[in-house]
Amino acid sequence: MKKVLIADSHPLFRDFLKQKLSEDQIEVITTQENRDIYTKVITSLPNLIILDMEDDNTMEMEFLEKKMRDTNCADIPVIITGPKQDRSNIAAYAKYGVIKYFEKPVQFDMFFKSIGLVVRVPLSMDTTPCILDLHRNNNIIFIELALGLNREKIALLQFKLSEMIEREKLENPKVVIMLTNLELTFVDGYNLEFLIDNVLACPKIHAKNVKILSLSNFVREMINGHSDYTGIEMSSNLSRVLNDLVDTSITSDISDLITNRFLTPSYEAEDTASIATRFSSDGLEDSEVPKKTGTVLTIAIIDSDGASLELTKNYFEQAGATCFTYTGGAEFLNNYEDGKFDLIVLDVLLSDQTGLSLLQNLHKRPHSPPIVIYSQSLQKDIVVKVLSAGAASYLVKPQKPNFLVQKCLSVLKTRE
């Protein structure tokens, strides 16, 4: 059984992730104190470490330094969730075995997909388009859904509800589940039950305080015919629902609670102490590659041999890198920008120019990334010339995938 160690102090994220991975038969080891991570790692030797990094990352960096120096765990891959950082800073984590860096709030589907690729276990993931928004007005919690019922978001709902109730110290919370933008039929029954069960799983939420706003006759029939849902009421009128729930000592004006914010995600109101979890299907704008895919390294591969080019690309993509491929030096130079690449893997034997001339061109540029030559066996004088021209290392084709990747990472480790 594959093992994943989760080092995260946020119970919402940690517990949700543990539940999801356990469903796919992955053993999950957790620790809340980052000072204990190294001990947990060397005693359990997991297949993957998921590390939460705070703004003050002193303890996390101490752990990564220890891990890098310990041959028993140096090669264990790490996925980090952390604050927004410059791409150059994120790339520097590669030398510690970090293969993905997800900026908070995490896009969970991309995050979960990365875990599956690393541990080589096909992980189940519901990709149904769904908007699920959660917000509170006094002691009334509104849960709004549109587009569809996504089981991942519904599973997360239980943890977010419990967190909100605990954080706001709500003793008698009342819940309105708003389904008016969904056309539901009997085929949705399984997921609808899952939704209601997750709401009722919160100890402080009682069926008598749960109202469902829907236009669907199927929903009404299911609620009325389900013995576990006795006390839950359904209505098609929001004012009527609120009249039943509102505390008149707080406000007697029901219109105060009816706003145009329904079905508008309230992410800006989320507690920054918690890890918000989003999904790429939410359609939120995100122009930065690291935030969306967790990319740590961006690599340019230049090789005129198409088969070799594709093989090398696959090696690095399996290690979490984003790869740009070029069959010639001119094509690469036309697309080159300072800061775009963290590493260049170059075959000296190019069809349109010599790799040596390309090396010399790049070496003149002030912000050129390290360049690793990956080519067929060359004459000794040519090897000396390419190394003298600024190449960081020279590897003879072909190499085993892990060896090639590790040698390239070692170049990044020694670079200041």
Side-chain angles (χ1 to χ4, degrees):
M1 179 181 286
K2 297 297 179 69
K3 292 188 288 186
V4 173
L5 187 147
I6 304 174
D8 197 310
S9 60
H10 302 277
L12 183 156
F13 192 71
R14 185 182 65 246
D15 295 346
F16 176 49
L17 189 56
K18 181 177 181 179
Q19 175 182 288
K20 281 294 302 173
L21 294 177
S22 298
E23 288 174 359
D24 288 293
Q25 307 304 307
I26 294 175
E27 181 183 349
V28 178
I29 305 151
T30 62
T31 176
Q32 293 177 246
E33 298 294 334
N34 284 354
R35 64 176 61 90
D36 298 332
I37 304 173
Y38 181 69
T39 302
K40 289 261 189 175
V41 168
I42 59 176
T43 54
S44 62
L45 293 179
N47 302 96
L48 171 66
I49 300 165
I50 298 174
L51 174 65
D52 178 51
M53 183 170 283
E54 302 292 345
D55 290 320
D56 179 3
N57 60 9
T58 304
M59 283 192 292
E60 292 86 356
M61 292 308 300
E62 287 177 357
F63 160 69
L64 291 174
E65 291 285 352
K66 283 184 180 179
K67 173 184 174 295
M68 183 175 66
R69 294 192 296 266
D70 189 332
T71 55
N72 293 314
C73 60
D75 292 335
I76 298 175
V78 180
I79 293 177
I80 291 180
T81 60
K84 181 179 178 63
Q85 295 196 41
D86 291 337
R87 196 178 68 81
S88 58
N89 292 341
I90 292 174
Y93 292 123
K95 65 182 180 182
Y96 299 108
V98 177
I99 60 169
K100 292 287 182 180
Y101 186 102
F102 286 91
E103 291 180 5
K104 304 173 190 176
V106 174
Q107 283 193 351
F108 185 75
D109 43 359
M110 303 298 295
F111 179 75
F112 201 60
K113 179 181 178 181
S114 296
I115 295 173
L117 290 173
V118 174
V119 299
R120 301 182 186 276
V121 173
L123 302 179
S124 57
M125 172 64 68
D126 186 355
T127 58
T128 302
C130 171
I131 295 175
L132 194 159
D133 186 38
L134 180 70
H135 57 268
R136 179 182 66 87
N137 194 312
N138 295 318
N139 70 329
I140 301 177
I141 299 173
F142 294 92
I143 302 169
E144 308 168 70
L145 290 103
L147 299 182
L149 298 175
N150 181 294
R151 292 183 67 83
E152 315 306 339
K153 293 192 175 188
I154 293 172
L156 178 62
L157 175 64
Q158 176 187 338
F159 297 96
K160 292 189 76 71
L161 271 174
S162 296
E163 182 190 52
M164 176 182 283
I165 291 169
E166 181 179 349
R167 185 179 69 236
E168 305 297 335
K169 297 180 173 56
L170 302 179
E171 291 302 324
N172 189 33
K174 299 172 182 181
V175 175
V176 179
I177 303 175
M178 304 179 67
L179 305 175
T180 49
N181 281 268
L182 288 176
E183 295 182 7
L184 301 175
T185 66
F186 71 94
V187 298
D188 300 297
Y190 181 56
N191 286 337
L192 184 58
E193 283 187 346
F194 189 55
L195 169 64
I196 299 171
D197 290 345
N198 270 275
V199 172
L200 295 178
C202 299
K204 290 189 177 181
I205 296 178
H206 306 292
K208 66 179 182 179
N209 289 329
V210 175
K211 310 293 181 183
I212 296 179
L213 190 69
S214 176
L215 306 176
S216 169
N217 287 329
F218 163 73
V219 176
R220 186 183 302 277
E221 292 171 0
M222 195 197 83
I223 296 299
N224 292 338
H226 205 300
S227 59
D228 292 340
Y229 301 155
T230 301
I232 296 177
E233 294 183 7
M234 179 189 141
S235 176
S236 59
N237 186 287
L238 179 59
S239 294
R240 179 180 173 185
V241 167
L242 293 177
N243 269 314
D244 291 340
L245 295 177
V246 71
D247 182 352
T248 55
S249 67
I250 298 174
T251 178
S252 59
D253 189 353
I254 298 303
S255 63
D256 288 346
L257 298 179
I258 302 176
T259 73
N260 59 5
R261 292 179 63 256
F262 293 147
L263 291 175
T264 302
S266 56
Y267 294 121
E268 64 276 9
E270 290 177 316
D271 178 15
T272 55
S274 168
I275 295 185
T277 306
R278 303 181 186 175
F279 294 69
S280 58
S281 58
D282 290 345
L284 299 172
E285 292 186 6
D286 191 353
S287 60
E288 296 184 28
V289 173
K291 190 171 184 180
K292 181 178 180 182
T293 65
T295 299
V296 170
L297 288 179
T298 302
I299 297 176
I301 306 171
I302 311 165
D303 193 331
S304 295
D305 183 334
S308 174
L309 185 68
E310 189 64 26
L311 203 58
T312 306
K313 175 187 174 185
N314 289 339
Y315 291 169
F316 284 100
E317 285 185 339
Q318 288 171 12
T322 293
C323 298
F324 291 82
T325 57
Y326 305 93
T327 56
E331 179 191 8
F332 167 75
L333 288 174
N334 287 336
N335 288 274
Y336 179 81
E337 298 173 11
D338 282 345
K340 182 175 182 178
F341 305 111
D342 305 301
L343 182 75
I344 297 172
V345 179
L346 170 66
D347 187 348
V348 172
L349 306 174
L350 299 178
S351 57
D352 63 341
Q353 61 179 282
T354 66
L356 179 58
S357 63
L358 182 58
L359 258 173
Q360 292 168 335
N361 184 314
L362 290 170
H363 192 54
K364 296 175 183 177
R365 304 185 183 220
H367 304 293
S368 175
I371 302 168
V372 173
I373 302 300
Y374 185 46
S375 192
Q376 295 177 4
S377 182
L378 303 172
Q379 295 178 1
K380 184 177 179 179
D381 62 325
I382 298 179
V383 174
V384 171
K385 285 181 180 179
V386 296
L387 292 175
S388 300
S393 184
Y394 165 68
L395 299 173
V396 178
K397 288 184 181 178
Q399 298 287 347
K400 292 182 178 180
N402 189 57
F403 180 81
L404 174 61
V405 172
Q406 290 303 319
K407 288 295 289 184
C408 287
L409 289 179
S410 70
V411 169
L412 294 172
K413 287 181 183 180
T414 56
R415 192 184 190 211
E416 294 295 328

